[in-house]
């Protein structure tokens, strides 16, 4: 059962999913803290390179199936033009100012 992005509990995570799905790179970047970091399958990656290769140049799209941890952990079907669709997990660290300082993803 897919959870509509508008129904996601955490405002920063909701905005993250909406930015990915609408291919809004500027909006996406505005959600991140200046020193934000990320990891994919347990390995830290260069944030700018990763989002270009995995999201924005390859038409990334998230369909959320489950949320936990107050909306800061997701299980989602993620697809892009490179890898097709896969079941993924996402976790977010959101700072007091509402910006995301770290996100981690990988296969679920």
């Amino acid at each position: 059962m897919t959870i509509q992005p508008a129904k996601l509990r955490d405002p920063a995570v909701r905005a993250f999913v909406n930015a990915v799905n609408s291919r809004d790179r500027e909006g996406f970047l505005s959600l991140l803290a200046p020193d934000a970091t990320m990891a994919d399958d347990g390995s830290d990656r260069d944030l700018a390179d990763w989002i270009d290769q995995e999201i924005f140049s390859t038409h990334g799209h998230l369909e959320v199936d489950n949320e936990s941890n107050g909306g800061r952990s997701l299980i989602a079907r993620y697809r892009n033009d490179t890898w097709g669709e896969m079941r993924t997990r996402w976790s977010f660290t959101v700072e007091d100012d509402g910006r995301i300082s770290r996100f981690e993803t990988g296969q679920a």
Side-chain angles (χ1 to χ4, degrees):
M1 182 84 173
T2 301
I3 300 171
Q4 294 303 314
K7 303 229 189 268
L8 294 172
R9 286 184 282 184
D10 188 275
V13 173
R14 182 183 325 125
F16 181 100
V17 171
N18 283 324
V20 168
N21 290 351
S22 64
R23 298 183 182 93
D24 179 4
R25 190 176 191 279
E26 291 301 312
F28 180 95
L29 292 173
S30 75
L31 302 170
L32 303 179
D35 56 351
T37 60
M38 66 84 53
D40 186 357
D41 282 329
S43 299
D44 276 22
R45 303 291 175 91
D46 180 277
L47 180 70
D49 286 349
W50 190 90
I51 65 170
D52 284 338
Q53 292 172 5
E54 300 292 337
I55 299 173
F56 294 106
S57 70
T58 58
H59 309 108
H61 189 87
L62 276 162
E63 289 189 38
V64 178
D65 292 327
N66 181 281
E67 64 177 345
S68 57
N69 189 30
R72 293 189 177 170
S73 295
L74 307 177
I75 298 294
R77 282 167 288 138
Y78 183 74
R79 69 177 179 269
N80 67 23
D81 293 346
T82 302
W83 306 108
E85 184 172 289
M86 65 191 92
R87 188 168 165 82
T88 56
R89 58 172 171 67
W90 298 76
S91 63
F92 299 87
T93 303
V94 180
E95 298 306 310
D96 292 341
D97 68 359
R99 291 197 289 178
I100 297 167
S101 59
R102 181 167 177 85
F103 67 93
E104 298 183 23
T105 187
Q107 293 204 45

